Amino acid sequence: MNTSVSQNQRVLSGMRPTGLLHLGHYHGVLKNWIELQHSYECFFFVADWHALTTHYENPSIIAQSGIDLVIDWLAAGVNPGSSTIFIQSRVPEHAELFTLLSMITPLGWLERVPSYKDQQDKLKDMDLSTYGFLGYPLLQSSDILIYKAGHVPVGEDQVAHVELTREVARRFNHLYGKEIDFEEKAQIAIKKMGKKNAKIYNNLLKRYQEQGDGEALSVGHALLDSQQNISIGDKERLVGYLEGGGRIILPEPQSLLTASPKMPGLDGQKMSKSYNNAIALRESPKQIEKKIKTMPTDPARIRRTDAGDPEKCPVWQLHQVYSSDDLKKEIIEGCTTAGIGCVDCKRHIIDSILVELKPIQQRAKDYQEDLASVENIINEGCEEARDVARDTMEEVRKAMGITLR
Ligand code: TRP
Ligand code: SF4
């Protein structure tokens, strides 16, 4: 277990600006982000370089989608007062870390990431046999490690990327976490904790290193976490010392999988722009009504008088997302006895979606009419992010011996 004492309460996540957000993003990702803001220090960013790995032939969509993305986040409830919102390319340190990490990342690690082949097979109309696309997950690792994020909220398809990030961090710490005078510095740091705590620490160290006592390790982490007298650098050193390695410069992040089930699209498959079954957050009420009204239903319900089976109907899946238990009971009863028609059944869904989207669309409109305030939020976020990224890069350069300046 590799934890950084100070930064593991930081959350980082990004989205690629390749089009408008839809209800699948809202239910699957954004609601989770908004929730996380209450318990963590959150960094959310527009991954425009990542978008370029697939859209390099037609990049014009990236700039506009980037602004729209931020507007949608804000409209959905991402709070710029508590979260840092920024643009990847405005923090060029990500690219520097990407370059440095590429020196120590075996090619096989990247070739084995499942999304590499999967996406190449799926996006047949794009030539993805580029160096940039192969490096996609390592760029993502740099995004994460440069903020020393402890938690990365991602979908299942991204877990392998976080896993790669952990491996790269481990390799980095193994190669560069060993200061020549590490032992000596660790001893000095132990003394700085005071006699009593030093004794406790040394005891825990012994218990963990000699007996592999896992509890001693977690008690040790807690002890270090609570120290006020020593610097962050010393804490990281002592975490590393406790774990029997060198200093942890780049802490390993964890994936935070979203618990929410997949948002069904208009055809019952997972909602996705590429399946053409999505409802955009900015879609007009009229258009939404039309899309739901033309949704397929149980094919056996040809006439109003035919009974139906909700299990065979994509509208029913939307009731799972939007309707109360009482209403769901009513729908099952009505559908299976032909007591209600599909039009009535769909009306509930239309109403729920419109109620959900109304405040979001209103806020999006307000932001669109006040782009200057969106730019301000982005500028501030970029500066905040850059401060953190600069600090990490100083440490990284020093550790790797890039000191010719
Ligand atoms: N690859 C992510 C996606 O397609 C976007 C992304 C880029 C990201 N960098 C990241 C997500 C860092 C989390 C952390 O969804
Ligand atoms: Fe589907 Fe509702 Fe029609 Fe039943 S009544 S088939 S659940 S739309």
Side-chain angles (χ1 to χ4, degrees), residues 52-215:
L52 214 45
T53 62
T54 48
H55 289 60
Y56 60 88
E57 287 192 82
N58 182 18
S60 55
I61 178 181
I62 296 175
Q64 185 54 45
S65 311
I67 297 295
D68 282 338
L69 201 55
V70 173
I71 291 177
D72 281 346
W73 295 351
L74 295 168
V78 175
N79 175 0
S82 57
S83 295
T84 301
I85 298 172
F86 66 100
I87 314 283
Q88 183 184 39
S89 63
R90 299 252 315 257
V91 187
E93 283 78 7
H94 290 224
E96 185 183 356
L97 185 57
F98 175 56
T99 299
L100 294 181
L101 294 180
S102 77
M103 307 302 167
I104 66 163
T105 306
L107 213 44
W109 289 11
L110 293 170
E111 288 164 341
R112 275 196 300 273
V113 172
S115 59
Y116 180 57
K117 291 229 155 50
D118 290 356
Q119 292 293 96
Q120 281 188 331
D121 289 345
K122 221 173 120 197
L123 306 173
K124 277 238 155 53
D125 50 333
M126 296 177 187
D127 180 2
L128 295 182
S129 52
T130 58
Y131 174 60
F133 189 69
L134 177 66
Y136 183 112
L138 189 63
L139 180 58
Q140 185 164 351
S141 301
S142 310
D143 300 336
I144 298 168
L145 295 174
I146 207 160
Y147 300 103
K148 303 189 178 183
H151 305 276
V152 186
V154 286
E156 256 167 78
D157 59 323
Q158 300 285 311
V159 171
H161 296 179
V162 179
E163 198 44 50
L164 173 84
T165 305
R166 295 166 60 80
E167 279 167 20
V168 171
R170 217 172 295 146
R171 185 162 164 84
F172 183 94
N173 294 326
H174 176 73
L175 287 170
Y176 306 114
K178 295 203 172 60
E179 301 156 296
I180 310 161
D181 45 0
F182 179 65
E183 178 89 28
E184 210 173 281
K185 282 189 172 154
Q187 290 301 338
I188 294 172
I190 291 173
K191 287 212 182 82
K192 283 190 198 149
M193 287 194 291
K195 255 206 186 112
K196 188 167 147 246
N197 286 326
K199 195 166 161 203
I200 301 175
Y201 177 88
N202 281 327
N203 252 322
L204 293 167
L205 182 78
K206 208 162 154 199
R207 266 171 59 197
Y208 178 61
Q209 298 211 339
E210 288 176 12
Q211 297 143 34
D213 181 345
E215 200 199 321

Side-chain angles (χ1 to χ4, degrees), residues 4 25 79 94 98 160 165 257 298 306 309 331 359 361:
S4 159
H25 297 111
N79 175 0
H94 290 224
F98 175 56
T165 305
L257 270 175
D298 175 359
D306 297 331
D309 177 357
I331 298 293
Q361 296 194 342

Side-chain angles (χ1 to χ4, degrees), residues 297-298 301 310 313 315-316 331 335 340-342 345-346:
T297 58
D298 175 359
R301 271 204 97 173
C313 176
V315 180
W316 174 241
I331 298 293
C335 178
I340 58 164
C342 295
C345 181
K346 288 175 167 183

Side-chain angles (χ1 to χ4, degrees), residues 221-232:
H221 280 141
L223 173 75
L224 291 170
D225 230 352
S226 69
Q227 293 306 303
Q228 311 286 340
N229 303 347
I230 60 176
S231 67
I232 290 175

